[in-house]
Amino acid sequence: MIATNLRESQLAEFEMYESNVRYYCRDMPAVLARASNARIWDEEGYEYIDFFSACGSLNYGHNHPLMKRRVIEYLMTDGMLNSLDLHTTAKRDFLRTFREHILAPRGLVYRVQFTGPTGTNAVEAALKLARKVTRRRTVVAFTNAFHGMTLGALAATARQRNAGIEQNGIVRLPFEGYFCADTRDLDRYEAMVNDPSGGAEPPAAFIVETIQGEGGLNSASPEWLRHLAGVAHRLGALLIVDDVQAGCGRTGDFFSFEQSGIVPDLVCLAKSISGNGLPMALLLIKPEWDQWSPGEHNGTFRGNNLAFLAASVAAQLWNDPDFIGSINQSDLIVRAWIDNAVREFGATAKGRGLFSGVSFSDRSLARQVAGEAFQRKLLIETSGSYGEVLKVMPPLTIEPELLSEGLRRLSDAVEVSLSRSRLRTAA
Ligand SMILES: *Cc1c(COP(=O)(O)O)cnc(C)c1O
């Protein structure tokens, strides 16, 4: 009782003075103070395991030691902090490192646009550029898509909490697997555009997440993605991959589309591009589409040099065998837990790599599990139309023992929630 009162008084200020729009904190009511890799401590000193990674913006963990050191050294020497889009040493280092460690080894050639520092701004830039380049208006987006909260990106997002927003020329097609949708749905749309009486105008672009993070970890097959790339190409439309959440290593590769072999025209990156949660977003542009006029997509905060420093460290990690080895190990541990959850708990496996999770036939179960997990000091989130998917998203760098401990707590949370739900059904 005393503990509850203490907690309530600590939360009161937030409840009184912070807008109702606050969200994640409602399911995870703690006041957090410190964090290191996959551990977080609240004000009272309680330790939590992070299976959430701030929605995939902390893929390299909290306060990665190398990133922290670079940032501190830079601050101590009065390094330039905000630089709009002026040239800085930190930005040049990032451009160089990103090219050498990420793009070149994958045979990719992209121009880098620094957009405003949020994923949704990179999406806005992509939509705008595709429309400018093609002189077309329509953009195809998919069921369950999430692309951000500003009006253009929100129109492309499938779930629009604020009904009544302009649809801005967005056409919705079913994502692979949606009500059995497959490549034939793409073919049908292509035929409609080509048919003078099909009633569909030629699109400027297709925007797609290869794995839908907020939409419930729905994963597109390499075949479907290659088919989509073919349809886009034949229709003269640009293919935009929104890799804001699925990219930066979540699937095990740096880009989520690497296994499929497609090369998108535009790629949106944000969340973990800076490595340690400092705001930063990018649009990667195939050189032939870099048709912006100077200043056409401006923004004050496109020069976060602390983010550039950390992002350079992050890019270099992709050449570090220890880092790659640790991702693969974490992947195996999570995979084993999910296989077990399918057998023991009747769960359905979702996603790929460390962008995985499970759903249950009882749609309300995942949220109950997340609540039970919080009681066990494990931070975990749900996604999907009904919050029916548990997202298991620890930092890629989590120590194996801590990962296993977190998964044990998660199993406990599932068992408790399942037996409660069975009792309810029996009653
Ligand atoms: C989070 C997210 C965005 C929006 O990024 P913000 O930084 O929150 O604006 C866009 N697309 C996808 C796929 C995302 O997961």
Side-chain angles (χ1 to χ4, degrees):
M1 198 58 208
I2 292 168
T4 322
N5 286 341
L6 180 64
R7 171 148 287 174
E8 271 166 17
S9 72
Q10 284 167 336
L11 299 179
E13 275 193 72
F14 297 100
E15 279 156 18
M16 276 171 68
Y17 299 114
E18 192 182 351
S19 159
N20 270 324
V21 77
R22 64 192 191 282
Y23 180 61
Y24 297 105
C25 58
R26 294 172 188 270
D27 291 332
M28 302 177 189
V31 183
L32 307 175
R34 292 190 305 119
S36 175
N37 201 10
R39 294 175 209 266
I40 300 179
W41 292 272
D42 69 14
E43 273 183 349
E44 292 164 74
Y46 287 112
E47 183 181 308
Y48 300 78
I49 302 176
D50 188 357
F51 269 20
F52 175 38
S53 305
C55 265
S57 59
L58 287 158
N59 285 357
Y60 309 93
H62 298 264
N63 290 308
H64 189 283
L66 295 176
M67 298 179 192
K68 189 170 69 177
R69 191 186 314 152
R70 286 285 291 277
V71 164
I72 291 173
E73 283 168 7
Y74 191 79
L75 284 170
M76 295 313 284
T77 55
D78 282 342
M80 186 83 184
L81 289 183
N82 175 27
S83 54
L84 287 170
D85 65 12
L86 299 174
H87 301 319
T88 63
T89 318
K91 185 194 271 190
R92 185 178 52 208
D93 286 350
F94 169 73
L95 284 170
R96 202 176 275 165
T97 325
F98 190 71
R99 203 170 58 243
E100 276 173 20
H101 291 269
I102 303 294
L103 297 181
R106 292 164 179 78
L108 297 172
V109 179
Y110 284 116
R111 293 271 180 85
V112 178
Q113 177 185 357
F114 297 92
T115 66
T118 55
T120 198
N121 200 274
V123 170
E124 295 291 344
L127 297 175
K128 229 196 249 184
L129 183 59
R131 285 174 169 136
K132 174 174 184 179
V133 161
T134 59
R135 296 166 196 273
R136 297 175 180 174
R137 199 178 92 94
T138 304
V139 170
V140 178
F142 292 91
T143 49
N144 292 111
F146 181 84
H147 297 295
M149 284 286 145
T150 49
L151 292 179
L154 186 59
T157 294
R159 176 184 191 154
Q160 297 164 6
R161 284 170 214 266
N162 322 312
I165 68 148
E166 284 294 332
Q167 290 311 295
N168 283 321
I170 294 293
V171 165
R172 189 79 48 197
L173 287 187
F175 191 77
E176 187 182 24
Y178 187 90
F179 218 82
C180 305
D182 57 22
T183 54
R184 282 171 298 183
D185 298 82
L186 303 172
D187 292 338
R188 188 178 305 117
Y189 174 73
E190 183 181 6
M192 286 166 67
V193 173
N194 286 330
D195 180 346
S197 302
E201 50 179 79
F206 291 76
I207 182 165
V208 69
E209 299 155 90
T210 66
I211 299 176
Q212 300 181 311
E214 298 308 298
L217 296 176
N218 311 308
S219 178
S221 67
E223 298 75 39
W224 188 82
L225 287 172
R226 285 193 290 268
H227 203 85
L228 175 63
V231 170
H233 184 73
R234 285 193 297 277
L235 291 178
L238 269 51
L239 179 62
I240 306 169
V241 169
D242 178 349
D243 233 7
V244 168
Q245 193 166 162
C248 302
R250 261 298 136 196
T251 63
D253 300 319
F254 185 84
F255 293 106
S256 71
F257 51 82
E258 287 177 39
Q259 284 188 6
S260 73
I262 62 167
V263 181
D265 296 292
L266 305 174
V267 183
C268 305
L269 291 175
K271 292 206 163 90
S272 273
I273 184 66
S274 82
N276 57 357
L278 290 169
M280 174 174 171
L282 293 183
L283 181 64
L284 302 180
I285 307 172
K286 270 194 186 168
E288 63 265 41
W289 307 130
D290 187 20
Q291 296 172 17
W292 288 118
S293 322
E296 212 177 351
H297 191 87
N298 259 346
T300 305
F301 289 115
R302 291 173 298 130
N304 182 351
N305 286 274
L306 291 183
F308 298 157
L309 292 178
S312 300
V313 175
Q316 275 166 346
L317 283 176
W318 288 88
N319 260 351
D320 174 353
D322 287 343
F323 170 71
I324 304 290
S326 73
I327 306 186
N328 293 339
Q329 189 179 11
S330 303
D331 189 17
L332 288 177
I333 297 173
V334 170
R335 187 89 2 238
W337 186 87
I338 288 179
D339 288 348
N340 187 62
V342 170
R343 279 195 310 273
E344 299 280 312
F345 307 135
T348 304
K350 305 284 291 186
R352 182 157 67 79
L354 288 171
F355 202 27
S356 292
V358 287
S359 67
F360 302 93
S361 55
D362 172 357
R363 279 175 180 167
S364 67
L365 201 77
R367 289 190 63 84
Q368 293 170 46
V369 173
E372 289 294 334
F374 182 77
Q375 301 299 323
R376 291 162 177 73
K377 304 273 181 284
L378 175 72
L379 303 184
I380 190 163
E381 246 296 302
T382 59
S383 76
S385 304
Y386 307 94
E388 75 281 16
V389 180
L390 256 187
K391 284 169 100 184
V392 182
M393 285 179 71
L396 307 177
T397 49
I398 189 172
E399 300 82 357
E401 306 73 40
L402 196 64
L403 178 55
S404 301
E405 170 57 24
L407 291 169
R408 266 194 295 281
R409 293 184 197 178
L410 191 56
S411 294
D412 281 355
V414 175
E415 269 163 31
V416 167
S417 309
L418 266 179
S419 58
R420 272 217 205 104
S421 122
R422 284 191 191 116
L423 276 178
R424 267 198 311 273
T425 329

